Amino acid sequence: MRNTFLVCYDIRDDKRLRRVYKTMRDFGDHLQYSIFECQFTPIDLAKCRHTLAELIKHNEDQVLFVDLGPTAGRGERVITALGQPYTSMDAPCYVV
Amino acid sequence: MNAGAASESSADALPDYLPARMLNEFVYCPRLFYYEWVEGVFAQNRETVEGGLRHAKLDAKHDDLPTSDELQASGEAIHSRSITLSSDAYGLIAKMDLVEAEGGLVTPVDYKRGTPRVADGKLVAWDTDRTQLAVQALVLRDNGYQCDEGVIYYVTTKQRARVAIDETLVSQTLDALRQARETAESGRIPPPLVDSPKCPRCSLVGICLPDETQACSTLDSSEQLSQRTLFDIDLPHRAVAYARVDSDSEVRRLLPARDDLRPLYLNTQGLRVGKSGNVLKVQEKDKTIQEVRIGEICQLSLFGNIQLSTQALQALCENEVPIAYFSMGGWFYGTTSGLGVKNIYLRREQFRLADVPGFCLRLARALVAGKIRNQRTMLQRNHVEPPDSALKMMKCMQEEAEWTDSIDSLLGIEGNAARIYFQHFAGMIKVDGEDGSPTTNGPSPFNFDFVNRNRNRRPPRDPVNALLSLAYSVLAKDLTIVCHSVGFDPFLGFYHQPRFGRAALALDLLEPFRPLIADSAVLSAINTRMITTRDFVQVGPSVSLKPEGRKSFFRAYEQRMDTLVTHPIFGYRVNYRRMLEIQARLLARVLTGELGTYPVFTTR
Ligand code: SF4
């Protein structure tokens, strides 16, 4: 099952920063500057960690993975917002 | 054709060399080996993905191993990475992560995730890992190297466990090799492990369904004999003798209750879908209105005029996300998918058994009886005042369906039961046609009054019928996709006869679920006012949903699909989407002879 993660990064080089940003767009929603919200299965997490590990410079950059627990039924319990509203995706399907 | 002939040809098709990894799987579980080696089935879980990613890194470096003579001559210590060698003598091929050589002596080193065992204060490699090293040693020896020892490097704990390649290990390994070959050649899939702690960690658990298969086979082991003699026909011979488990032993739910992927519906006319990275970009007039990651969807349904770029199409196929096409009005045209399931054996059994009238009848009876039972349950649960006479009649029809002797009379019984059910369908609708809420554009010309109406299809002439038609169309799509993913041909059924453009097998599987998923989604969309009469338009004689109403209906349908239900035999709860897949896999088991009867899904 999926867990919600905040992935936050601090990258010391602009080129790497752009690449990390681009990579992260495949994995989650851009929440704020340098912060993504991701709904990871254990497989996704392994892939994301592996991809980023190949990308960053290990003695300069840092990526943090913050596990917010199971996505299902999380509602708005874990993240609340001040200012711009935060909305979480909890629908059983996407309809456009 | 009999199963003997089938097995010969399946063994013929196997490559000459058995990969070391496969022997490893055989030692872990013979059934897993059979799935992967004979049927070509693979699935990923975290363990396999992590292993794969790590090996990708190792494989990138690719060395040559000097010959045994060269090694002896130079006397240097050498590390060679990612070496593949084969042995004609044993018919084995081994890919070695690392080979350390010094003088004439070589030592294969294998990288494994996880941790070694500790016994008597020493690090010990797991049996499967020992077998794999033994294979590597055998292959090395057959190529002229001297190899007395192997090493497993456990990545998680960064520890090395040495394995001596002694007589005992070699003969055990050769034994396993012989058994593995015999298993592959038998054309019979080994039974699942009983209550094994290995299963929860096995990547194929969702395909293998070990506990479910056990539960069903104990269920019908008593009936099986009488049925075989009752229908003296060429049923599959592959049924395996199972260790009898206690009938009250628990069925573990080893696969998640719900899929973590979501369906994507595109219904707005004129949308264009492109791709950037692994993200689908849904655009309306050059403006991106939604982005959806491909890794997070399980299917894509397109209604009407929507353009999908080739790049997006390719990426969806590659990620095994099926695409379903519908007309603007909801008519289901078909699907596009990737290469599909390689396992041809199931399809062969499907075609063979579709020609066996006794088998078709037996399955059809179960499906129709199950459907009638579920329709009856719907009335009992949802009708304002369940009509006694109707319930009684339906009960009779259900029993009649179980014993009738021809598909034709079965069709008649099904039709009669449906007529009674739909006569009382209105009693399950609990809103007025005019739903009382304020309206801006005047009263609607429609109502949800279903009294004295019946099913009318082409075209649907009232809102309820329009909803039912759309629901059946979408459910047929889901079962067509399930059929593909299990390895069936959706167009050849056992109850529904083949007709051009009709997914007959999908419709067979769908029957018992019609009331539970489709009708129920329609009722809840109406009763919870997700859809009101103002969501419809009249076009000529037909009534159809407006775009917004249709979107609401998809949400209602998916909510229903995501509802957890208890499986009547296994006792655990999964959602309907998962249930459809489990049921299709159980039907596959019946065709390949692992199970004697198909347990139709019914709710209480
Ligand atoms: S789930 Fe269990 S029985 Fe089935 S293949 Fe995997 S290990 Fe074997």
Side-chain angles (χ1 to χ4, degrees):
Chain A
M1 292 314 299
R2 291 179 188 275
N3 271 25
T4 303
F5 277 77
L6 287 187
V7 181
C8 325
Y9 48 81
D10 184 2
I11 310 289
R12 293 302 165 87
D13 167 84
D14 277 354
K15 204 168 135 204
R16 284 203 304 280
L17 178 66
R18 271 196 304 279
R19 276 209 232 126
V20 167
Y21 171 79
K22 235 184 125 201
T23 305
M24 283 309 301
R25 283 170 39 99
D26 283 357
F27 286 102
D29 297 322
H30 190 210
L31 207 58
Q32 287 181 6
Y33 183 70
S34 292
I35 301 181
F36 275 80
E37 181 186 348
C38 306
Q39 255 103 65
F40 280 146
T41 62
I43 295 185
D44 298 332
L45 178 63
K47 284 188 179 157
C48 181
R49 290 183 67 102
H50 176 83
T51 317
L52 291 181
E54 302 279 279
L55 227 61
I56 64 169
K57 204 155 177 184
H58 288 248
N59 54 5
E60 289 182 12
D61 307 336
Q62 185 185 50
V63 183
L64 298 177
F65 294 83
V66 185
D67 185 350
L68 300 180
T71 302
R74 187 172 59 92
E76 322 266 302
R77 266 186 297 112
V78 205
I79 305 178
T80 52
L82 198 60
Q84 291 287 317
Y86 161 82
T87 44
S88 77
M89 247 308 284
D90 228 3
C93 59
Y94 303 94
V95 184
V96 184
Chain B
M1 188 170 43
N2 63 31
S7 64
E8 270 164 44
S9 39
S10 62
D12 282 349
L14 293 175
D16 293 341
Y17 294 107
L18 187 76
R21 196 174 49 78
M22 282 298 159
L23 202 57
N24 193 332
E25 305 290 49
F26 183 79
V27 176
Y28 189 82
C29 166
R31 188 174 172 91
L32 176 63
F33 160 81
Y34 192 92
Y35 269 127
E36 296 195 340
W37 176 239
V38 181
E39 298 195 349
V41 177
F42 282 97
Q44 291 198 316
N45 63 8
R46 192 189 56 168
E47 279 82 359
T48 61
V49 166
E50 283 180 353
L53 290 172
R54 202 175 39 249
H55 276 102
K57 225 166 168 179
L58 291 168
D59 291 350
K61 312 187 189 93
H62 187 85
D63 299 335
D64 285 330
L65 187 64
T67 66
S68 161
D69 292 344
E70 287 165 1
L71 281 175
Q72 254 158 358
S74 78
E76 270 176 75
I78 286 180
H79 280 60
S80 292
R81 289 186 186 278
S82 195
I83 303 290
T84 302
L85 285 177
S86 60
S87 150
D88 290 330
Y90 300 114
L92 283 170
I93 184 161
K95 189 161 178 190
M96 291 163 271
D97 292 337
L98 174 66
V99 178
E100 297 174 348
E102 182 148 20
L105 201 63
V106 297
T107 308
V109 181
D110 217 75
Y111 288 67
K112 294 277 179 214
R113 70 189 298 280
T115 55
R117 238 165 2 125
V118 180
D120 303 332
K122 279 202 307 191
L123 299 180
V124 184
W126 296 95
D127 277 351
T128 48
D129 299 342
R130 286 159 52 84
T131 313
Q132 194 171 357
L133 280 182
V135 171
Q136 299 184 350
L138 285 173
V139 170
L140 283 164
R141 285 179 187 178
D142 197 33
N143 282 276
Y145 299 95
Q146 190 193 339
C147 174
D148 302 334
E149 199 181 52
V151 172
I152 299 284
Y153 179 75
Y154 287 97
V155 181
T156 313
T157 59
K158 299 198 166 50
Q159 285 176 309
R160 288 162 68 99
R162 299 185 165 273
V163 177
I165 313 294
D166 52 22
E167 290 253 332
T168 333
L169 180 58
V170 168
S171 75
Q172 276 170 4
T173 305
L174 291 177
D175 240 26
L177 178 63
R178 193 175 38 74
Q179 285 172 26
R181 286 204 182 283
E182 276 170 17
T183 302
E185 276 158 23
S186 74
R188 264 166 226 245
I189 188 161
L193 303 177
V194 180
D195 201 25
S196 167
K198 292 177 177 177
C199 298
R201 283 185 289 141
C202 171
S203 64
L204 291 188
V205 67
I207 292 169
C208 166
L209 303 177
D211 287 25
E212 290 85 346
T213 307
Q214 291 283 0
C216 289
S217 53
T218 20
L219 195 75
D220 61 33
S221 60
S222 49
E223 298 169 35
Q224 217 156 351
L225 250 182
S226 57
Q227 261 165 1
R228 288 284 146 94
T229 38
L230 194 60
F231 300 97
D232 192 15
I233 47 170
D234 190 18
L235 283 176
H237 304 294
R238 298 219 226 132
V240 193
Y242 287 91
R244 227 195 133 89
V245 281
D246 296 335
S247 44
D248 58 6
S249 78
E250 207 176 294
V251 178
R252 297 169 295 172
R253 186 168 57 67
L254 296 177
L255 70 175
R258 1 169 97 92
D259 207 332
D260 43 42
L261 304 172
R262 282 185 281 227
L264 168 59
Y265 289 86
L266 298 180
N267 183 58
T268 306
Q269 300 307 300
L271 290 179
R272 315 176 70 89
V273 184
K275 182 196 85 116
S276 121
N278 272 321
V279 180
L280 290 182
K281 284 186 182 299
V282 183
Q283 295 182 305
E284 191 174 29
K285 303 194 190 83
D286 298 329
K287 209 175 113 236
T288 302
I289 55 169
Q290 175 108 21
E291 292 190 337
V292 186
R293 276 176 293 281
I294 293 176
E296 289 178 16
I297 57 175
C298 56
Q299 48 170 267
L300 168 58
S301 296
L302 304 175
F303 287 79
N305 305 316
I306 290 162
Q307 312 300 321
L308 191 66
S309 78
T310 302
Q311 291 84 335
L313 187 65
Q314 283 168 347
L316 289 163
C317 282
E318 197 188 327
N319 285 275
E320 285 169 39
V321 179
I323 304 154
Y325 305 89
F326 296 83
S327 71
M328 218 186 301
W331 180 254
F332 175 37
Y333 290 127
T335 59
T336 304
S337 57
L339 295 173
V341 178
K342 281 175 276 176
N343 180 7
I344 185 69
Y345 307 117
L346 175 60
R347 261 168 284 169
R348 185 157 62 184
E349 291 304 324
Q350 184 187 350
F351 275 76
R352 190 173 75 79
L353 286 166
D355 281 338
V356 178
F359 180 85
C360 292
L361 179 61
R362 191 147 69 82
L363 185 62
R365 289 198 300 216
L367 291 168
V368 171
K371 174 187 177 186
I372 297 175
R373 178 167 168 181
N374 286 339
Q375 286 175 329
R376 189 168 171 272
T377 309
M378 282 291 288
L379 288 179
Q380 270 172 325
R381 277 199 203 154
N382 301 308
H383 199 282
V384 267
E385 199 184 345
D388 235 8
S389 60
L391 294 179
K392 277 207 191 93
M393 275 195 284
M394 291 183 77
K395 179 95 195 153
C396 286
M397 288 173 176
Q398 179 198 327
E399 279 159 16
E400 213 183 322
E402 273 159 18
W403 292 109
T404 187
D405 56 4
S406 78
I407 296 254
D408 281 343
S409 53
L410 205 51
L411 282 166
I413 297 168
E414 185 188 4
N416 287 337
R419 195 156 52 243
I420 297 177
Y421 171 69
F422 281 112
Q423 262 165 22
H424 298 284
F425 198 82
M428 298 192 281
I429 296 173
K430 293 169 189 162
V431 288
D432 300 328
E434 297 309 323
D435 50 29
S437 51
T439 159
T440 44
N441 35 2
S444 152
F446 300 112
N447 56 46
F448 285 129
D449 165 25
F450 200 63
V451 190
N452 295 332
R453 298 204 205 210
N454 226 312
R455 273 295 286 144
N456 50 59
R457 278 173 268 248
R458 285 201 211 163
R461 289 188 295 274
D462 60 278
V464 177
N465 270 299
L467 284 171
L468 286 171
S469 290
L470 180 61
Y472 295 150
S473 198
V474 177
L475 184 56
K477 171 262 308 180
D478 277 330
L479 279 150
T480 304
I481 288 172
V482 168
C483 282
H484 274 299
S485 70
V486 170
F488 284 119
D489 184 328
F491 285 92
L492 184 64
F494 299 98
Y495 174 43
H496 291 91
Q497 297 307 303
R499 190 204 287 165
F500 182 75
R502 176 160 87 164
L505 183 64
L507 297 180
D508 282 2
L509 279 164
L510 178 153
E511 286 303 346
F513 287 105
R514 234 178 241 274
L516 302 179
I517 298 178
D519 300 355
S520 181
V522 168
L523 289 170
S524 85
I526 297 173
N527 290 342
T528 63
R529 304 192 174 175
M530 283 173 90
I531 290 181
T532 71
T533 46
R534 283 184 301 279
D535 286 314
F536 296 87
V537 283
Q538 180 96 39
V539 187
S542 79
V543 170
S544 65
L545 268 168
K546 293 181 196 162
E548 277 314 308
R550 193 192 307 237
K551 287 183 188 172
S552 305
F553 179 72
F554 296 145
R555 293 195 189 96
Y557 176 84
E558 290 301 337
Q559 251 169 29
R560 185 63 191 159
M561 245 341 172
D562 198 39
T563 309
L564 295 179
V565 274
T566 305
H567 194 285
I569 300 168
F570 310 144
Y572 59 48
R573 282 158 75 75
V574 292
N575 73 0
Y576 271 112
R577 186 170 291 290
R578 184 67 87 200
M579 192 69 80
L580 293 180
E581 190 193 324
I582 293 176
Q583 289 299 121
R585 292 205 186 280
L586 292 178
L587 180 62
R589 292 300 159 74
V590 177
L591 299 194
T592 52
E594 262 199 282
L595 293 181
T597 35
Y598 175 63
V600 175
F601 179 83
T602 52
T603 56
R604 272 171 255 257

